[in-house]
Amino acid sequence: MKKIVFAYVGTLLAFLLLDGLWLGVLMAPTYHALLGSLMLEQPRLAPAAAFYLLYIVGCVVFVVLPAQSWQRAARLGALLGLVAYGTYDLTNWATLNGWPAQLALMDMAWGTLATCLACVAGNWLARKAL
């Protein structure tokens, strides 16, 4: 049980830190410029929290705990990030008026990297909990 808790908390904290820097500091002006009126002035916290909590469950179940090394956690985490963010971005690009291709590709790259790094962090902490 301790291993699962360390895996979840470590992955969650790493992902929140990375995504907070990305969304709140580095890319906020770009998202505003590309999405304009599609963006809310303030994000809805309940759906955002639900996303983070659920996404980390997927990271832990499908990557962090099964991976026997940080290298495997990195590879599987990158793949999970690409699939998850690709599903979101490619669907939006295919169905929404005004969803820029540039944003889809940039966001997919970010999801790949952020998930990779968060899964490595969670895997490392889970192995330290033993």
Side-chain angles (χ1 to χ4, degrees):
M1 181 58 118
K2 182 179 173 185
K3 180 178 179 178
I4 295 170
V5 171
F6 273 64
Y8 188 87
V9 171
T11 308
L12 178 64
L13 292 176
F15 195 81
L16 287 173
L17 175 68
L18 291 166
D19 219 33
L21 288 171
W22 177 259
L23 294 172
V25 178
L26 299 173
M27 296 305 294
T30 302
Y31 280 101
H32 284 287
L34 292 174
L35 294 177
S37 64
L38 292 175
M39 289 189 69
L40 297 172
E41 290 212 16
Q42 292 295 319
R44 293 185 180 109
L45 295 181
F51 161 75
Y52 286 110
L53 295 172
L54 181 61
Y55 190 62
I56 300 308
V57 167
C59 290
V60 169
V61 169
F62 297 122
V63 176
V64 173
L65 293 177
Q68 297 299 313
S69 68
W70 72 266
Q71 294 95 334
R72 182 130 172 96
R75 287 190 303 272
L76 291 175
L79 179 60
L80 178 62
L82 179 62
V83 169
Y85 277 69
T87 300
Y88 171 78
D89 283 298
L90 294 173
T91 299
N92 285 344
W93 188 13
T95 62
L96 297 178
N97 218 359
W99 193 269
Q102 173 189 1
L103 179 60
L105 298 174
M106 184 176 58
D107 200 48
M108 287 169 60
W110 170 248
T112 300
L113 178 64
T115 306
C116 169
L117 295 175
C119 287
V120 167
N123 180 266
W124 183 81
L125 278 173
R127 286 188 288 121
K128 293 295 177 192
L130 294 176

